[in-house]
Amino acid sequence: MPDISLTTVVLLCLAALAAGWIDAVVGGGGLLLLSALLLGLPSGTPAAHALGTNKAVAIVGTTGAAVTYARKAPVDVRTAVRIGLAALAGSSGGAFFAAGMSTEVLKPVIMVVLLAVAAFVIFRPAFGSAPATGPATRRQILAAIGLAGLGIGFYDGLVGPGTGTFLVLALTALLHLDLVTASATAKIVNCCTNAGALATFAWQGAVLWQLAVPMAVFNLAGGMFGAHTALKRGSGFVRVVLLTVVFALVANLAWEQWVA
């Protein structure tokens, strides 16, 4: 455990609280959480320790949000787990290819995709506002397993930022879910991918458990509160948060690509 001041621990816990809320509503909280860890940990701390601690914290908040959603939202848990297992396989493949590929080449492409997504959501105000008319068809489920599971899972292992947001959008489009139900389903998928990543980091000894435990408590509170907020406020509120997170992701990627 690195030498970290009490003030820094408190600030990291507050960041975990905010990240849990954002992630539960629409995804993308991991960007805030990981950035806070990278800034808060002492210089010279291996990046793997920040990544591993991030997963140990995030999985707790994600699980809390998933349970909260599952109790009150019409979530097809069986379909969500199937997509999650595919995402787990996809993220493993993405991590394998990440070793030999520069993500700097992909960042401009991702920014264009995110801006296109933002434009689509802005000019299609009805997107994700209507509840599903019935259970998803076999073709829709297979498409979700392929694109939202394997495809976005692969992206998560290869690059990472915005995975939860991409999941919400893909599930809304492919399974014709409203944004609240899509967020709930995405949390279950996230639980699967986080579990696989955490197991790998824990096996490598790259988790700072003494820091992860208090942060996880705050992340859990943020995740459960975020799920309650989304359920109470509805798809219109989730849509506003979605656009805010998308533009924040674009700004962050642009900063990393051309400024930092």
Side-chain angles (χ1 to χ4, degrees):
M1 177 72 178
D3 185 18
I4 305 174
S5 69
L6 179 59
T7 301
T8 300
V9 172
V10 170
L11 291 174
L12 287 173
C13 286
L14 292 176
L17 178 72
W21 187 91
I22 294 169
D23 207 47
V25 175
V26 77
L31 178 65
L32 170 60
L33 186 58
L34 181 58
S35 298
L37 282 166
L38 290 172
L39 289 171
L41 290 175
S43 178
T45 302
H49 285 70
L51 293 168
T53 305
N54 171 60
K55 288 300 181 185
V57 173
I59 193 171
V60 176
T62 299
T63 301
V67 171
T68 302
Y69 273 125
R71 287 177 175 173
K72 298 185 178 181
V75 184
D76 185 342
V77 176
R78 183 168 178 267
T79 297
V81 170
R82 290 163 70 184
I83 297 170
L85 293 175
L88 178 59
S91 63
S92 300
F96 175 79
F97 281 100
M101 180 180 293
S102 172
T103 57
E104 301 304 314
V105 178
L106 295 176
K107 286 179 181 177
V109 177
I110 297 166
M111 281 186 277
V112 171
V113 172
L114 283 169
L115 288 172
V117 164
F120 177 81
V121 174
I122 290 171
F123 293 109
R124 291 284 298 275
F127 178 75
S129 60
T133 55
T137 65
R138 184 171 181 271
R139 180 176 294 181
Q140 288 174 327
I141 292 173
L142 288 175
I145 290 172
L147 180 59
L150 289 172
I152 296 178
F154 183 87
Y155 166 80
D156 190 21
L158 187 66
V159 183
T163 297
T165 304
F166 280 131
L167 277 173
V168 171
L169 291 165
L171 293 170
T172 301
L174 294 170
L175 299 181
H176 298 164
L177 303 175
D178 63 88
L179 286 171
V180 172
T181 306
S183 292
T185 306
K187 292 305 101 191
I188 297 175
V189 176
N190 276 161
C191 286
C192 295
T193 55
N194 284 342
L198 176 58
T200 301
F201 284 120
W203 178 72
Q204 295 173 340
V207 179
L208 302 174
W209 294 108
Q210 289 174 290
L211 178 62
V213 170
M215 289 181 67
V217 173
F218 280 81
N219 193 248
L220 174 63
M224 295 180 71
F225 179 59
H228 279 297
T229 304
L231 288 165
K232 182 179 179 180
R233 301 290 295 274
S235 294
F237 173 76
V238 175
R239 182 173 178 269
V240 172
V241 178
L242 173 65
L243 288 171
T244 302
V245 171
V246 165
F247 285 122
L249 286 168
V250 170
N252 178 76
L253 289 170
W255 175 272
E256 291 181 351
Q257 181 73 16
W258 292 301
V259 180

